[in-house]
Amino acid sequence: MSMKSPFFLIHALFYNRPSSHMSLIKGLLIVFTIALSGCAALTIIPRTATADLTVDITRGYVEPMPLAIPDFLGTTAQEKKLGKDIAKVISRNLEFSGLFRPIDPKAFIEEMTPASILQPRFGDWRVINAQALVTGRVVEGQDQQFQVEFRLWDAFAGDQMLGLRFKSVKDLWRRIGHKASDAIYERLTGESGYFDTRIVYVSESGPLDRRVKRLAIMDQDGENLEFLTDGKALALTPRFSPTAQEITYLSFEKGAPRVYLRNLDTRTQEVLGEFRGMTFAPRFSPDGNQVVLTYAENGNSELYEMDLRNGQKYQLTKNTAIDTGPSYSPNGDFVAFESDRGGSQQIYIMDRNGGNVKRITFGKGRYGTPVWSPRGDLIAFTKQHRGQFSIGVIKPSGEGERILIRDYLVEGPTWAPNGRVLMFMRQTSRNPDTSELVTIDITGHNERIIFTTTAASDPAWSPVLP
Amino acid sequence: MIVKAKFLIPLAIVVIFAAACQSTPDEKVSVSGDSSSNIAEDSSISGSSEASIDSSDLDPSAPKPGTQEDLVQNVGDRIFFDLDSAVLSPQSRGILEKQAEWLRLFPDLSLTIEGHCDERGTREYNLALGERRASAVRSYLIALGVEGQRLNTISYGKERPYALGHDEEAWNLNRRSVSVIN
């Protein structure tokens, strides 16, 4: 399978390091670093963190950074439209992250010209308190090709922080916007972006006792929606492969629930493995060569690892309890799962081969759906206690449990590829007949509803696209 | 009188069905909803239940033996479970004993036993729990002499609730296994 990027060219032409200026923006960057590392003080220390600055601030609300993103310039009507639309995509992404506050274009003083996008009048931007400024332009080429170049400026220091040029086909203009958003986010926060990603989820419609559940896929911002299944059979718990080109999921297509493997490019699918009973709760290994799943027969659920290259299966658990919900650690050495072997549903970790099992949840209530962060530092879970559901995170050591959000039913967390944001499904007590997709930062702040055209559940966040 | 008898039949079905599956008041209202205003001028519903059973016995449209309707009305197609449990209660065992007897009468029939859960659990866990419930029913029927190859199981987890509410009453009705003729 080809892994080639659809972008023919990605230039980093104009990259200057703001090395000589100990500017305000640098101060700001440090603030961001503190905030981000502080909120995940339990986690891997960000690249740019400095020891003496990560002390005081634990998790908390970050005042969003005001920045200005004027429409990208163009000469033809088509170029102008693309320039406007791409600037809008970037603005929306950055705003959604909760870390940035795009300034209303009505407040802009400087009018962008071919000259000013290369040398803005920083004073005009400082006056409206824009800490950062993004300028850019669109140039059409032959055969539906086009080129976008943009620059990120530190408005207070007057420095260029980033300059990139993308070249692609027109159909992919939104992805250019997402790639640019990722680059800006990364430059300003020191964390990798997560905007050029997709979400696969279960689209729900119809009455609850005959609910139609179809697999749907869309961009992280809700655009480019596409249905993958027709809804005749129940489809549940889709999960991305590490290349985002395949998904594994549960379908009732042949009556009994079975784990399927589906190629998103060729649109072909197959039942995974030969099992006599039902299979469910699949998840890819970090290298994409294996799928770990649950196989249930005669009232007993066990975990198996399937090798996709040779069809071999390997049993990981063996007891009379329910063992399900497996998730690999990002280094592939461990598997987190849920089991009621101790009397109630709790989260356990074991070696990849099934050995060395240890329980990590000991709080009051039941714990399920463990999902290992792509950074490896945390495991997200669904908890039930006193009739309420919550989404939380815990260290693989079992320490540092934190609840991020509670409701009538919140379930099934999935990580943004940078390990900073979780998405999950929610049924509110006010309206439990429907469900929605929600994101929240691991700080517990910036709760957002993802727009979907129907009720939605079981989201899975893709890795950043190639 | 003719009018009255017409209403008594569906009413009888409702009453029997409700008794068989330990139904709730909610359900009766919805099933008999259409004719409720007419029934209101009749004698009380509870008072007429004995008479209505007679009239349904005489009714030529009574369920054919060996059909799903027969199973539902005369045997009981479902049993209920406690929270997070796949243990068969004495009452459930009674219903399954009737199912086993009934299956002996119709040796060509085979069943799919569906395992279901309430919505107060996580999706994957409930799929496993539903499988555990369906398997508990299957094992008991086998212990009662039903051939294993006549009994399939399937778990729907929490995906196919029977009662649509979001309260204890609905959850009690949804923690169930249902036997369905193949």
Side-chain angles (χ1 to χ4, degrees):
Chain A
M1 199 48 53
S2 164
M3 283 281 298
K4 216 171 148 189
S5 168
F7 304 100
F8 299 112
L9 195 65
I10 302 177
H11 276 310
L13 292 179
F14 330 97
Y15 182 72
N16 297 331
R17 299 195 58 180
S19 50
S20 56
H21 306 263
M22 183 55 205
S23 61
L24 185 74
I25 193 77
K26 206 162 177 189
L28 246 164
L29 287 174
I30 292 165
V31 169
F32 265 78
T33 305
I34 298 163
L36 282 163
S37 57
C39 71
L42 329 156
T43 73
I44 293 167
I45 298 163
R47 298 191 286 282
T48 52
T50 44
D52 53 334
L53 289 171
T54 55
V55 181
D56 292 348
I57 303 171
T58 54
R59 66 192 100 124
Y61 174 74
V62 181
E63 186 66 41
M65 175 200 273
L67 87 180
I69 311 174
D71 294 349
F72 288 8
L73 290 186
T75 36
T76 68
Q78 170 80 9
E79 286 172 356
K80 282 179 181 151
K81 181 170 189 320
L82 273 173
K84 191 182 173 75
D85 290 345
I86 288 171
K88 207 184 282 174
V89 166
I90 297 171
S91 177
R92 186 170 146 192
N93 280 339
L94 294 178
E95 193 278 330
F96 207 77
S97 76
L99 299 177
F100 303 95
R101 183 172 63 76
I103 296 167
D104 186 342
K106 288 197 208 90
F108 295 172
I109 299 164
E110 182 177 28
E111 188 139 341
M112 300 320 289
T113 65
S116 66
I117 61 167
L118 300 176
Q119 192 53 58
R121 279 201 310 272
F122 295 108
D124 284 2
W125 299 101
R126 284 195 291 265
V127 161
I128 61 167
N129 197 34
Q131 316 264 357
L133 169 68
V134 179
T135 63
R137 64 175 180 151
V138 176
V139 182
E140 278 187 286
Q142 304 286 312
D143 304 328
Q144 296 295 304
Q145 298 279 318
F146 78 115
Q147 194 173 297
V148 177
E149 55 183 60
F150 76 94
R151 289 170 167 80
L152 171 66
W153 306 91
D154 172 345
F156 279 73
D159 273 336
Q160 179 181 303
M161 300 178 71
L162 181 70
L164 287 173
R165 178 187 296 155
F166 296 100
K167 194 173 172 188
S168 186
V169 290
K170 277 207 194 78
D171 287 351
L172 295 176
W173 68 269
R174 294 197 73 88
R175 287 199 56 199
I176 300 275
H178 295 317
K179 290 259 180 236
S181 307
D182 283 338
I184 294 166
Y185 180 97
E186 187 164 347
R187 184 69 183 86
L188 291 175
T189 68
E191 298 286 331
S192 53
Y194 54 87
F195 302 114
D196 191 24
T197 54
R198 307 205 82 194
I199 308 294
V200 62
Y201 67 100
V202 174
S203 162
E204 303 195 6
S205 55
L208 291 178
D209 54 345
R210 279 165 291 143
R211 197 75 150 171
V212 174
K213 301 198 179 191
R214 306 172 68 180
L215 292 188
I217 191 168
M218 64 187 186
D219 295 350
Q220 146 277 134
D221 59 357
E223 299 290 335
N224 290 322
L225 173 67
E226 190 189 339
F227 289 99
L228 302 176
T229 61
D230 60 15
K232 282 184 194 133
L234 277 174
L236 303 170
T237 63
R239 312 290 181 215
F240 276 105
S241 73
T243 63
Q245 286 178 328
E246 285 176 302
I247 53 168
T248 181
Y249 67 102
L250 172 66
S251 172
F252 284 67
E253 195 170 301
K254 292 187 173 148
R258 284 300 171 96
V259 169
Y260 285 74
L261 202 59
R262 183 186 179 93
N263 188 305
L264 294 173
D265 292 338
T266 63
R267 294 161 178 269
T268 53
Q269 65 173 39
E270 55 179 300
V271 175
L272 189 57
E274 287 176 17
F275 293 92
R276 287 199 302 147
M278 74 187 272
T279 50
F280 58 105
R283 212 178 275 276
F284 279 97
S285 63
D287 65 6
N289 288 329
Q290 288 84 19
V291 167
V292 62
L293 51 75
T294 311
Y295 167 49
E297 198 190 16
N298 299 326
N300 183 27
S301 301
E302 302 288 10
L303 300 180
Y304 282 75
E305 181 176 80
M306 284 278 315
D307 196 305
L308 301 177
R309 296 164 298 187
N310 55 24
Q312 295 283 309
K313 57 186 184 228
Y314 179 71
Q315 186 169 352
L316 301 180
T317 57
K318 197 174 168 84
N319 60 52
T320 56
I322 288 176
D323 296 313
T324 188
S327 169
Y328 289 97
S329 62
N331 64 10
D333 289 347
F334 305 100
V335 175
F337 64 102
E338 59 178 76
S339 176
D340 66 354
R341 60 183 66 191
S344 76
Q345 190 184 5
Q346 299 291 340
I347 295 173
Y348 293 76
I349 289 178
M350 63 184 172
D351 293 348
R352 173 86 171 250
N353 64 10
N356 207 8
V357 180
K358 69 172 200 257
R359 178 171 159 182
I360 65 162
T361 50
F362 292 94
K364 284 187 178 132
R366 302 168 58 174
Y367 295 77
T369 74
V371 192
W372 220 302
S373 160
R375 302 167 77 105
D377 54 350
L378 293 172
I379 291 171
F381 58 78
T382 306
K383 180 176 181 175
Q384 287 168 259
H385 183 52
R386 291 180 187 272
Q388 266 213 324
F389 280 65
S390 51
I391 299 287
V393 292
I394 191 169
K395 288 194 218 177
S397 63
E399 298 164 303
E401 176 182 332
R402 281 195 292 126
I403 296 300
L404 304 180
I405 191 166
R406 293 183 175 84
D407 215 311
Y408 176 75
L409 199 156
V410 284
E411 179 181 353
T414 181
W415 289 93
N418 71 356
R420 291 292 182 196
V421 184
L422 284 168
M423 189 183 296
F424 52 91
M425 78 88 106
R426 175 168 72 187
Q427 280 171 252
T428 61
S429 43
R430 207 161 44 84
N431 194 5
D433 279 345
T434 191
S435 59
E436 61 196 1
L437 306 185
V438 180
T439 59
I440 194 163
D441 290 5
I442 56 169
T443 56
H445 292 280
N446 195 34
E447 176 191 329
R448 305 271 180 149
I449 296 170
I450 304 292
F451 174 77
T452 50
T453 56
T454 60
S457 61
D458 279 3
W461 211 320
S462 82
V464 173
L465 298 177
Chain B
M1 277 313 287
I2 296 165
V3 174
K4 192 175 177 184
K6 260 189 185 167
F7 284 115
L8 286 175
I9 295 162
L11 183 62
I13 292 170
V14 169
V15 171
I16 294 167
F17 180 78
C21 60
Q22 306 179 328
S23 184
T24 62
D26 251 16
E27 199 177 21
K28 281 183 225 165
V29 169
S30 65
V31 176
S32 60
D34 287 347
S35 51
S36 59
S37 59
N38 294 313
I39 286 172
E41 31 184 278
D42 257 336
S43 55
S44 78
I45 291 172
S46 58
S48 63
S49 67
E50 204 180 328
S52 68
I53 290 170
D54 289 342
S55 64
S56 93
D57 284 346
L58 297 174
D59 177 25
S61 69
K64 286 200 185 71
T67 60
Q68 185 70 29
E69 293 71 31
D70 184 28
L71 178 63
V72 170
Q73 290 183 31
N74 300 322
V75 182
D77 69 333
R78 66 193 59 198
I79 63 166
F80 300 95
F81 294 90
D82 285 343
L83 184 68
D84 197 19
S85 166
V87 174
L88 304 174
S89 67
Q91 195 178 16
S92 297
R93 286 170 188 266
I95 291 168
L96 296 178
E97 280 151 22
K98 281 175 74 183
Q99 283 192 9
E101 253 171 66
W102 184 81
L103 283 166
R104 269 194 288 279
L105 295 177
F106 305 103
D108 293 340
L109 291 185
S110 65
L111 295 183
T112 294
I113 300 150
E114 301 174 354
H116 296 274
C117 304
D118 66 33
E119 64 180 358
R120 306 308 284 163
T122 48
R123 184 156 275 159
E124 293 91 336
Y125 184 83
N126 278 358
L127 285 166
L129 181 58
E131 200 272 340
R132 200 186 247 176
R133 286 174 176 163
S135 293
V137 169
R138 182 175 186 269
S139 297
Y140 193 59
L141 289 173
I142 289 173
L144 294 169
V146 182
E147 301 83 350
Q149 65 269 25
R150 296 171 68 191
L151 302 168
N152 296 328
T153 58
I154 185 169
S155 174
Y156 283 99
K158 61 174 172 174
E159 310 306 320
R160 284 285 177 261
Y162 174 73
L164 303 186
H166 303 282
D167 49 24
E168 290 289 349
E169 197 173 307
W171 302 333
N172 289 339
L173 285 171
N174 289 335
R175 291 192 299 266
R176 70 200 192 278
S177 82
V178 182
S179 299
V180 180
I181 294 176
N182 291 330

